[in-house]
């Protein structure tokens, strides 16, 4: 064992001890670094983690994810102390939908039902009729009466995909995730030529031209299930590269290749810099000091809870 992995192991042990002492639970998104996923009590996508946050009896929730996810945990279980290892871990998609501009849009279309993807701020959730995740978005859209016009925000790529799947025309907010928009179609097709028996699987936050060549499009947990149940043994995976850790653990005998990004970077794949702001050390520090806490006003939490609960009832 190298010094680095030895240090990491002892830090993981310290996190586990502290977590037990403080009756804390660690919820980690699939896009977190492997060493964080290894100490987590639950690993999941947005919907799974929101449900875990709502149900936990722990006193402290350490949310290893990004800010809007930790906010959702706090809204769902307001009596808990919710900590985020780095409070600056934001999200390009959530940032692409500022509340004032969104309020203006709503004013122009007062008869529209507002559906928002969970990847938005708590304030945007207060302006929503119902929230959705990529796991349940289709069902949520289909639950809205056909004669009701819809505003969908903030992800235009997911919105376009849903319009095609449901046949519903929607007014789309012009937001996107920088990670899922980073995939290069040319490089993806080149890679596919090298692995012609591979299945291309993609998250619906990806651009339409990527989704069109995919054999499977689905949420993070949907992609995991697809790879597990498929008879194929090679997959090109178009979503944040952190998913590969859990996926490979589920199917160690299969070949998983991250889809290439437009810009060359060290791993030639797509990683979310916001997600990666959390480190094992920061996670330990925040649990020890309990200082990086998500604080939201009572009024904001009550208003944001309404569209989240509507979603959970339909999930
Ligand atoms: S991967 Fe995209 S949507 Fe997810 S947290 Fe990062 S920037 Fe936001």
């Amino acid at each position: 064992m190298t010094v680095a992995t030895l240090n990491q192991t002892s830090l993981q042990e310290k996190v586990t001890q502290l977590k037990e002492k403080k009756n804390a639970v660690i919820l980690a998104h699939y896009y977190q670094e492997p060493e964080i996923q290894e100490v987590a009590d639950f690993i999941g996508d947005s919907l799974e983690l929101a449900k875990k946050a709502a149900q936990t009896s722990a006193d402290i929730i350490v949310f290893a994810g990004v800010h809007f996810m930790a906010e959702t945990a706090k809204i769902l279980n307001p009596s808990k102390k919710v900590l985020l290892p780095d409070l600056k871990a934001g999200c390009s998609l959530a940032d692409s939908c500022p509340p004032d501009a969104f309020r203006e849009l709503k004013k122009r279309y007062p008869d529209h039902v507002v559906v928002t993807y969970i990847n938005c701020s708590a304030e945007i959730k207060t302006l929503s009729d119902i929230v959705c995740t990529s796991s349940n978005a289709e069902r949520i859209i289909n639950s809205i009466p056909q004669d009701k016009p819809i505003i969908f925000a903030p992800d235009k790529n997911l919105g376009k995909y849903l319009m095609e799947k449901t046949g519903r025309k929607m007014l789309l907010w012009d937001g996107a995730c920088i990670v899922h928009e980073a995939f290069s179609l040319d490089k993806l097709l080149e890679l596919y030529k090298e692995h012609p028996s591979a299945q291309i699987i993609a998250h619906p936050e990806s651009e339409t031209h990527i989704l069109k060549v995919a054999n499977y499009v689905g949420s993070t947990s949907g992609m995991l299930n697809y790879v597990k149940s498929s008879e194929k043994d090679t997959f090109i995976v178009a979503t944040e590269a952190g998913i590969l850790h859990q996926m490979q653990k589920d199917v160690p005998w299969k070949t998983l290749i991250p889809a290439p990004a437009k810009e060359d970077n060290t791993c030639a794949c797509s990683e979310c810099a916001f997600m990666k702001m959390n480190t094992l050390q920061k996670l330990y520090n925040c649990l020890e000091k309990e200082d990086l806490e998500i604080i939201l006003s009572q009024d904001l939490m009550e208003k944001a809870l309404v569209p989240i609960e509507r979603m959970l009832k339909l999930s």
Side-chain angles (χ1 to χ4, degrees):
M1 201 181 264
T2 64
V3 174
T5 53
L6 187 65
N7 289 343
Q8 186 179 302
T9 307
S10 71
L11 191 52
Q12 284 175 322
E13 281 165 6
K14 281 164 76 178
V15 168
T16 305
Q17 284 162 9
L18 197 54
K19 180 182 75 175
E20 277 160 22
K21 190 171 140 203
K22 295 198 172 194
N23 188 27
V25 65
I26 300 176
L27 305 182
H29 194 272
Y30 286 120
Y31 299 170
Q32 291 295 288
E33 296 285 9
E35 61 266 29
I36 291 181
Q37 294 193 33
E38 295 300 330
V39 293
D41 296 283
F42 301 102
I43 309 163
D45 63 11
S46 305
L47 180 60
E48 292 162 337
L49 293 177
K51 285 180 176 169
K52 288 292 177 199
Q55 291 157 0
T56 187
S57 58
D59 297 317
I60 298 174
I61 299 172
V62 182
F63 207 106
V66 292
H67 201 276
F68 76 81
M69 295 177 178
E71 277 184 346
T72 307
K74 181 71 186 172
I75 292 162
L76 282 166
N77 213 334
S79 65
K80 309 297 176 188
K81 184 178 259 192
V82 178
L83 305 171
L84 183 63
D86 190 324
L87 284 176
K88 293 198 194 80
C91 166
S92 67
L93 181 52
D95 290 348
S96 70
C97 194
D100 286 347
F102 194 63
R103 239 180 239 113
E104 286 305 311
L105 180 84
K106 266 193 71 169
K107 264 193 221 153
R108 296 212 313 269
Y109 299 95
D111 58 335
H112 282 49
V113 176
V114 178
V115 183
T116 51
Y117 188 33
I118 198 163
N119 298 28
C120 63
S121 66
E123 203 173 338
I124 292 292
K125 289 183 177 81
T126 68
L127 302 171
S128 311
D129 293 302
I130 188 159
V131 166
C132 70
T133 70
S134 48
S135 307
N136 59 26
E138 220 177 305
R139 188 180 316 169
I140 302 283
I141 299 294
N142 284 330
S143 75
I144 297 166
Q146 285 290 335
D147 59 337
K148 284 273 176 198
I150 299 172
I151 293 175
F152 185 83
D155 191 295
K156 63 179 176 197
N157 293 315
L158 177 61
K160 279 184 212 161
Y161 172 74
L162 290 168
M163 280 180 19
E164 206 174 306
K165 290 293 279 184
T166 62
R168 294 290 287 270
K169 197 165 158 29
M170 301 192 289
L171 186 62
L172 303 182
W173 184 261
D174 188 16
C177 157
I178 46 168
V179 178
H180 288 90
E181 283 214 323
F183 297 117
S184 156
L185 180 61
D186 292 344
K187 288 185 185 175
L188 178 66
L189 295 177
E190 269 172 41
L191 189 63
Y192 181 66
K193 268 192 220 156
E194 291 167 29
H195 305 274
S197 64
Q199 293 266 295
I200 298 173
I201 61 172
H203 191 282
E205 284 174 33
S206 309
E207 291 173 286
T208 306
H209 55 247
I210 299 287
L211 300 181
K212 282 216 177 343
V213 298
N215 300 95
Y216 174 79
V217 177
S219 67
T220 313
S221 52
M223 292 166 89
L224 280 163
N225 290 335
Y226 183 79
V227 168
K228 270 196 274 186
S229 60
S230 169
E231 287 169 359
K232 304 283 181 177
D233 58 10
T234 305
F235 300 85
I236 299 174
V237 184
T239 190
E240 211 273 354
I243 184 75
L244 295 174
H245 177 66
Q246 194 58 40
M247 216 175 241
Q248 197 71 76
K249 275 174 81 176
D250 288 345
V251 286
W253 61 92
K254 295 194 180 186
T255 304
L256 307 173
I257 308 164
K262 291 169 194 159
E263 300 294 328
D264 281 335
N265 57 25
T266 46
C267 72
C269 58
S270 244
E271 291 200 336
C272 176
F274 300 108
M275 285 278 182
K276 269 44 179 192
M277 287 173 85
N278 295 322
T279 62
L280 188 61
Q281 185 67 58
K282 286 183 189 172
L283 192 154
Y284 176 78
N285 293 349
C286 89
L287 185 53
E288 189 191 31
K289 295 186 192 140
E290 298 182 30
D291 53 350
L292 304 179
E293 187 181 353
I294 300 289
I295 309 278
L296 300 171
S297 75
Q298 191 63 30
D299 182 52
L300 184 80
M301 287 194 285
E302 282 170 13
K303 286 183 181 145
L305 181 61
V306 176
I308 300 173
E309 281 193 325
R310 284 191 188 127
M311 169 190 76
L312 291 174
K313 274 194 194 121
L314 286 171
S315 300

